Amino acid sequence: MADTIAGSLLHAKGCGVQFGGLKALNGFSLTLANGELVGLIGPNGAGKTTFFNLLTGIYEPSEGEIHFKGRKINGLQPFQICRIGMTRTFQNIRLFADLTVRDNVLVAFHQDIRSSLWDAIVENKKFRQEETAHREAALQLLTLFGLDPAQNELAKNLCYGDQRKLEIVRALATKPRLLLLDEPAAGMNSTEKHLLIELIRRVHSQYQLAILLIEHDMDVVMALCPRILVLDYGEIIAEGTPEEIRKNPKVIEAYLGKS
């Protein structure tokens, strides 16, 4: 059964958002299929993170519509959008710094809790079984990302690259159909970036989810994404394969300026 408009998972049409006299996005449209991996690039201030904020309910479009799994999501709250299967990481790391690595992941299972407050107070069988299942699922995710040895460490004590990984783990714990990654390679060295590319490929394959990726590092984007969209001044200026994007004169001008 198709999930969506014309069989797509995500369908954004003619989206715009305006802050006072500034149009941060103008007529932005994107269709994303189930299991697709797409890159969204553009110079600083082009509107990339603004689009993520529209998708996840932080902003509401001034114009246009967004449909996810066949449902119009304009006006939904971020937690509602997360519950129906879309989640994200952030450009600036937003972990719970003073919680352990494991507890940062367990927080994401909150939306799946079926035990009542009374179940938790008396720690009955239902509560214990649910708690055990969530801890096992959290450990499986941490193991996939090589973070299981640090599960009892405070999140703030992780190195920068591992904090980035933990954000992805926490997002995956919500069981998304669509994962939005906002500059996951930011601040990583070349070795960490190579490992991240392989990790995202594995997550994409193993969990069979769609991924929409914002990234400034062109090597990461070109290595990962079969389809790339380029945003400049709030508008799509190019779309195509990595090879097509590399050669597109509008993209070259947007990044390097006119010769």
Side-chain angles (χ1 to χ4, degrees):
M1 178 178 175
D3 267 334
T4 66
I5 298 175
S8 61
L9 178 67
L10 174 72
H11 183 73
K13 183 177 180 181
C15 290
V17 61
Q18 190 162 335
F19 304 106
L22 174 66
K23 270 203 167 184
L25 275 180
N26 184 30
F28 186 102
S29 295
L30 168 68
T31 299
L32 197 64
N34 282 296
E36 195 172 7
L37 176 50
V38 173
L40 179 61
I41 67 172
N44 286 327
K48 304 180 298 297
T49 297
T50 297
F51 181 57
F52 271 22
N53 288 338
L54 286 187
L55 290 179
T56 53
I58 296 173
Y59 300 150
E60 187 170 355
S62 307
E63 57 190 24
E65 293 186 353
I66 302 171
H67 292 258
F68 179 62
K69 295 168 63 177
R71 175 181 178 181
K72 184 178 176 181
I73 62 172
N74 295 51
L76 292 186
Q77 295 297 310
F79 75 91
Q80 294 172 311
I81 293 171
C82 181
R83 281 178 177 172
I84 61 175
M86 188 193 308
T87 192
R88 70 177 292 183
T89 63
F90 292 88
Q91 189 173 353
N92 299 312
I93 294 172
R94 296 188 186 181
L95 295 171
F96 298 106
D98 292 314
L99 292 182
T100 66
V101 168
R102 181 181 60 197
D103 285 344
N104 265 272
V105 182
L106 288 173
V107 164
F109 289 106
H110 177 76
Q111 65 184 16
D112 294 329
I113 290 175
R114 297 294 176 262
S115 302
S116 66
L117 177 60
W118 176 251
D119 294 328
I121 290 172
V122 300
E123 295 189 4
N124 60 20
K125 183 178 180 181
K126 178 182 179 181
F127 171 79
R128 293 196 308 271
Q129 287 178 335
E130 192 169 51
E131 184 80 357
T132 298
H134 288 162
R135 286 179 179 275
E136 288 176 352
L139 182 58
Q140 286 176 0
L141 284 169
L142 289 170
T143 301
L144 174 64
F145 281 71
L147 294 174
D148 49 311
Q151 62 180 300
N152 294 316
E153 288 283 343
L154 296 182
K156 65 184 178 184
N157 293 337
L158 294 180
C159 68
Y160 184 83
D162 284 348
Q163 288 186 16
R164 283 277 176 196
K165 289 181 185 178
L166 182 55
E167 269 215 321
I168 299 175
V169 172
R170 187 176 61 181
L172 287 173
T174 67
K175 301 174 185 174
R177 291 283 301 283
L178 171 58
L179 176 62
L180 309 176
L181 298 177
D182 195 347
E183 296 195 37
M188 291 186 174
N189 60 39
S190 58
T191 300
E192 289 172 328
K193 287 175 184 177
H194 176 73
L195 292 173
L196 179 71
I197 289 169
E198 294 307 313
L199 190 58
I200 292 173
R201 283 178 178 153
R202 188 160 24 125
V203 166
H204 180 238
S205 172
Q206 183 168 331
Y207 289 89
Q208 297 183 331
L209 45 73
I211 297 176
L212 182 58
L213 170 79
I214 291 174
E215 185 51 66
H216 278 295
D217 190 302
M218 290 299 99
D219 289 338
V220 173
V221 176
M222 298 294 178
L224 276 173
C225 304
R227 178 162 69 106
I228 300 170
L229 287 81
V230 187
L231 193 62
D232 192 28
Y233 293 107
E235 297 185 356
I236 297 284
I237 60 169
E239 178 178 354
T241 65
E243 191 62 29
E244 290 168 339
I245 294 301
R246 279 193 190 97
K247 297 177 179 178
N248 190 297
K250 289 184 178 179
V251 177
I252 295 169
E253 182 180 326
Y255 273 95
L256 301 178
K258 294 181 179 179
S259 59

